[in-house]
Amino acid sequence: MTSIMPTYGRLPVSFVRGEGSHVYDEAGKAYLDGLTGIAVCGLGHAHPAVAKALSEQANTLLHTSNLYLIGPQERLATRLTELSGMDNVFFCNSGAEANEAALKIARLHGHNRGIEAPDVIVMDGSFHGRTMATLTATGNRKVQAGFEPLLSGFVRAPFNDVESVRQIAANNKNVVAVFVEPVLGEGGIQIPADDYLDNLREVCDANDWLLMLDEVQSGNGRTGKLFAFQHGNLKPDVITTAKGLGNGMPIGACIARGAAAEVLVAGTHGSTFGGNFLACAAANAVLDELTEGGVVERAAELGERMVGAFRTRLAGNNRVREIRGKGLMLGVELNEPCPTLVADALQAGLLINVAVDNVVRLLPPLNMSDAEADRMVAIVADLIDALD
Ligand SMILES: *Cc1c(COP(=O)(O)O)cnc(C)c1O
């Protein structure tokens, strides 16, 4: 029995401690962490620099609210905008909230330009969160079912299909923005064509739309660039991020540029906790590691190593449909549902996840050792081989 609402299917294991790429349960058993709390603890567990920043800040000042200036928030915003080529940031506490801010920017931007019922184009297979606006934006009926009425103002397109977005442009004069993940995360590590975002940028420019990227999962070094869009040549109008930004400290950010950066003014949006001292102290320490510690480059290198190892190791397995990776967003797609692999891996001392029923998803630490990466591949490949 539990007093917690049963919104999650939980595995019967309780971790009490973490260090680097491992977590430990109550019995002291070690688990190699191939999931990092769903792309959150990219620097690994109990990271010394993050722990130090948090404890120093906790002993100094936790929270004052956004009624006052917050030094670490100013510093974090300056760094995020410089590193992304953007102009300003709204801070909040989660991915869904960052996306709410982006959607409010899109709508207000539309209204400011005389569009009374603005539409945002969103993609099939996407995931944007569990709040009413973000579950409406999400391209997965399971997330929406039972929560109708959904919000109006969304138009759907297939992922990785620029032509369908062009067709919407030709027929719909109410569109104000395109909102898209650079790599589908919850949607099963779907990686679009290399020029997908560049082409979307072109369509957005031709139609005076905002290009808004959901980098909640793909940001913060995860794909081998600080932000996934930096693999291409474009600049987005809005980027949202969260997960890996605080390495476990909840923080979300909506980062804007140009006209999109001028939309939210005093009284239009807010958050009590957003960007408080503690969250920003953690995120500043994370950015130190990502930018000066060579962690982003390491993620790119590890990703190539693991995709290569998976391809070699699983070459003869006809259960495997495709092996995909962008940095350390890794997916092994099988021809059949494989939900039991999660418990099998747990038994074997490895944390993994299965997305959309048949994709083994790995989101491991960005700074792990070669040996840890190799061990992760070996365990997963053995488990897939052992499926009957
Ligand atoms: C996890 C995720 C979200 C939601 O973030 P929360 O912090 O759970 O609200 C939104 N978009 C993407 C792409 C995600 O992976």
Side-chain angles (χ1 to χ4, degrees):
M1 262 313 274
T2 168
S3 313
I4 294 167
M5 284 192 196
T7 57
Y8 307 101
R10 294 180 198 266
L11 291 157
V13 61
S14 168
F15 303 116
V16 292
R17 185 171 77 78
E19 190 181 346
S21 304
H22 290 84
V23 289
Y24 299 83
D25 70 12
E26 290 161 309
K29 177 177 169 182
Y31 300 79
L32 184 56
D33 193 351
L35 196 58
T36 59
I38 321 183
V40 169
C41 301
L43 301 178
H45 298 281
H47 190 279
V50 179
K52 180 162 175 281
L54 278 170
S55 86
E56 282 179 4
Q57 191 62 56
N59 279 296
T60 307
L61 188 60
L62 291 185
H63 179 89
T64 55
S65 91
N66 286 298
L67 298 176
Y68 313 99
L69 299 174
I70 299 171
Q73 185 188 113
E74 304 270 354
R75 175 157 178 259
L76 181 61
T78 302
R79 299 173 82 191
L80 281 173
T81 52
E82 280 175 10
L83 290 164
S84 60
M86 305 290 279
D87 291 333
N88 59 19
V89 187
F90 175 83
F91 287 108
C92 49
N93 315 286
S94 67
E97 279 178 83
N99 290 344
E100 288 279 344
L103 293 168
K104 283 181 73 171
I105 287 175
R107 285 190 166 191
L108 195 48
H109 177 68
H111 281 275
N112 289 345
R113 292 164 59 226
I115 299 174
E116 288 305 314
D119 281 333
V120 175
I121 298 178
V122 290
M123 306 304 164
D124 295 338
S126 64
F127 181 79
H128 297 297
R130 299 285 193 159
T131 62
M132 282 310 307
T134 59
L135 76 82
T136 300
T138 290
N140 177 350
R141 270 304 295 162
K142 275 193 202 163
V143 172
Q144 300 168 339
F147 299 108
E148 297 81 3
L150 302 180
L151 273 64
S152 57
F154 291 94
V155 180
R156 294 174 199 286
F159 183 66
N160 194 20
D161 181 348
V162 181
E163 203 42 53
S164 71
V165 174
R166 283 203 186 93
Q167 275 168 26
I168 294 169
N171 298 307
N172 184 331
K173 297 299 156 206
N174 284 333
V175 174
V176 293
V178 173
F179 188 37
V180 60
E181 292 166 83
V183 175
L184 296 188
E186 304 305 302
I189 315 294
Q190 295 288 348
I191 303 164
D194 286 344
D195 59 359
Y196 179 53
L197 295 183
D198 287 308
N199 289 335
L200 283 180
R201 176 75 271 175
E202 201 182 291
V203 180
C204 287
D205 286 342
N207 292 283
D208 205 11
W209 298 344
L210 302 178
L211 178 60
M212 311 201 301
L213 303 182
D214 182 343
E215 296 236 27
V216 170
Q217 189 163 149
S218 62
N220 311 298
R222 177 55 52 189
T223 70
K225 296 277 185 190
L226 188 64
F227 291 101
F229 80 85
Q230 292 169 328
H231 290 282
N233 298 311
L234 68 148
K235 273 192 176 183
D237 299 290
V238 175
I239 307 162
T240 60
T241 195
K243 290 193 165 94
L245 184 56
N247 210 57
M249 190 66 214
I251 181 167
C254 176
I255 311 171
R257 183 178 67 86
E262 294 169 15
V263 175
L264 293 181
V265 295
T268 56
H269 201 39
S271 164
T272 298
F273 291 127
N276 83 2
F277 285 88
L278 196 63
C280 292
N284 276 316
V286 168
L287 278 191
D288 289 342
E289 287 304 305
L290 293 179
T291 55
E292 292 151 32
V295 174
V296 179
E297 296 73 19
R298 177 71 181 151
E301 186 181 294
L302 282 166
E304 280 185 31
R305 181 186 184 94
M306 290 178 76
V307 167
F310 269 125
R311 292 205 169 128
T312 307
R313 180 62 183 69
L314 289 168
N317 190 314
N318 56 21
R319 232 184 222 107
V320 176
R321 183 179 293 164
E322 195 176 35
I323 293 158
R324 299 186 286 269
K326 190 115 184 158
L328 287 174
M329 286 184 88
L330 301 163
V332 179
E333 179 170 345
L334 305 190
N335 288 317
E336 62 204 60
C338 55
T340 56
L341 281 178
V342 174
D344 296 347
L346 189 72
Q347 188 70 32
L350 174 67
L351 307 185
I352 63 165
N353 168 253
V354 169
V356 293
D357 291 336
N358 68 331
V359 180
V360 178
R361 178 171 60 154
L362 295 176
L363 301 162
L366 309 179
N367 55 1
M368 63 185 168
S369 69
D370 288 349
E372 286 165 342
D374 294 348
R375 193 164 156 253
M376 216 171 271
V377 172
I379 296 174
V380 171
D382 282 350
L383 291 172
I384 291 174
D385 278 344
L387 283 173
D388 53 27

